[in-house]
Amino acid sequence: MRSITRGAVVAAAVATVLAPAAAQAAPVTDSVGLLGTYGFGRAEVIGEAGLRSGAWQAYSVRSGYTGDDLLVGHPVRTSPLAAETVVYTAAFNEVADPQGECRKVGAAGVANRVWVSFRCRTGFVPSYTLLVR
């Protein structure tokens, strides 16, 4: 019994010493929230593009009855980025209303303080690129 107690005390001490180091090594995510519900498959595309662009640090997709929910982990932005960053492009052959989707993602990002401002730049053959600051 004594050896079990001694082992538990040693394990607790090691965990106490190592826990702060593990917490410091983890990336900082100030906020995690729902960015919106998008068409089936679109949340995954938007989530991956946002991750690659650095707009957020993590994302997950939750499927529902009306579409896919996009949840993102991101630092809270209170001031604009120094330069515009391209998050993703919605093309007419990928989504029924690329301009509407671009505006919806942009506005949701401002509301959730993922970015401070956005604009949707139109391209040739109706496509819209989301640029954020």
Side-chain angles (χ1 to χ4, degrees), residues 26-115:
V28 176
T29 300
D30 296 330
S31 181
V32 175
L34 177 66
L35 194 64
T37 302
Y38 304 96
F40 294 105
R42 293 301 300 160
E44 181 69 34
V45 170
I46 297 165
E48 184 60 36
L51 188 63
R52 279 194 316 267
S53 72
W56 40 77
Q57 298 166 333
Y59 77 95
S60 65
V61 175
R62 183 177 55 201
S63 292
Y65 293 109
T66 60
D68 292 339
D69 293 338
L70 176 59
L71 296 107
V72 298
H74 60 90
V76 174
R77 298 253 185 249
T78 56
S79 60
L81 298 169
E84 280 187 321
T85 301
V86 173
V87 177
Y88 86 109
T89 298
F92 76 99
N93 61 347
E94 297 170 345
V95 62
D97 181 11
Q99 182 181 26
E101 183 183 86
C102 183
R103 288 181 177 169
K104 181 178 178 181
V105 174
V110 170
N112 289 299
R113 297 189 319 172
V114 179
W115 43 74

